Amino acid sequence: VAITVTAEAKSKQYGASDPVLTHVITTGSLVIGDSLTGLLTRASGEDVGTYAINQGTLANSNYDITYAGANLTVTQRPITVTADSATKEYGASDPALTLSVTTGSLVGQDALSGSLTRVSGESVGSYAILRGTVENTNYDITYVGALLSVSQRPITVTAAAKSKEY
C-alpha cells in the first residue's frame, strides 16, 4: 500500500534541546492497528540555521512509503549585554572596556567576539561606551551602553620663593 509521510517543520532556540520530530500521513492511510516504527532524524548541527529532517528509521514493510521532508530551524538565543562603567584620570590610558551578560545566558563555553569602543575625546567629561564589534551569530544581542568618565588630573603647584631689592 502506498502512503506519503510528511515531516512537520520544527524550530528551537539556539542552546535548547531538540523538539520531538513528528510526521503526518498526507496521502493514503494505515490499516487499522498498523503503525510506523522508528524515528525521524535530522542533519547534524547546533548553530543558528536550517537543518533537514530526514526519514531516519521510520518504516513499515507493509507500506511503500514516499517521504516528504521538512526542516528544523535553529533561531538566535536572545541575550542582553551591558557595558561596565569605567573611569580614568585625564592624561592616563583608557582602561579595558568590559561588559557582562545581564539577561539570558551564553551556552556552554560560548563567548562573544570583538571589542567595545567609545566616543573619542580626552578632555574631562563623560564619553559613551559603544557596542563596537561585539558579536556572536548564535545570539540576538541587545546592547546597553555605559560611560567612560575622564576625571581631572590632580597637580600641585608650588610657588618659588623670590626676592627683590627695594
Side-chain angles (χ1 to χ4, degrees):
V1 175
I3 61 171
T4 301
V5 174
T6 303
E8 295 181 302
K10 300 289 181 170
S11 67
K12 73 170 190 169
Q13 191 177 89
Y14 173 75
S17 299
D18 277 5
V20 174
L21 301 178
T22 57
H23 63 277
V24 294
I25 297 174
T26 52
T27 303
S29 62
L30 297 177
V31 173
I32 295 176
D34 280 355
S35 64
L36 300 176
T37 60
L39 298 172
L40 297 175
T41 59
R42 72 168 181 94
S44 63
E46 293 301 322
D47 288 337
V48 168
T50 303
Y51 301 90
I53 299 173
N54 303 309
Q55 186 172 345
T57 59
L58 192 67
N60 182 317
S61 61
N62 293 321
Y63 296 88
D64 177 19
I65 299 173
T66 300
Y67 177 76
N71 292 316
L72 169 71
T73 302
V74 179
T75 61
Q76 289 181 315
R77 181 181 185 93
I79 60 170
T80 300
V81 295
T82 302
D84 299 319
S85 296
T87 60
K88 78 170 191 170
E89 190 175 273
Y90 173 76
S93 297
D94 278 5
L97 300 177
T98 59
L99 57 79
S100 55
V101 177
T102 52
T103 303
S105 62
L106 295 175
V107 174
Q109 300 300 313
D110 281 358
L112 301 174
S113 63
S115 58
L116 298 172
T117 59
R118 73 170 181 94
V119 171
S120 64
E122 295 300 323
S123 299
V124 171
S126 295
Y127 300 89
I129 298 172
L130 308 172
R131 179 172 167 179
T133 58
V134 172
E135 187 60 61
N136 183 317
T137 57
N138 287 319
Y139 296 87
D140 178 13
I141 299 172
T142 299
Y143 175 75
V144 178
L147 296 174
L148 168 69
S149 298
V150 179
S151 62
Q152 291 180 326
R153 182 180 192 93
I155 60 170
T156 301
V157 177
T158 304
K162 299 288 180 180
S163 64
K164 77 174 193 174
E165 194 174 299
Y166 178 68

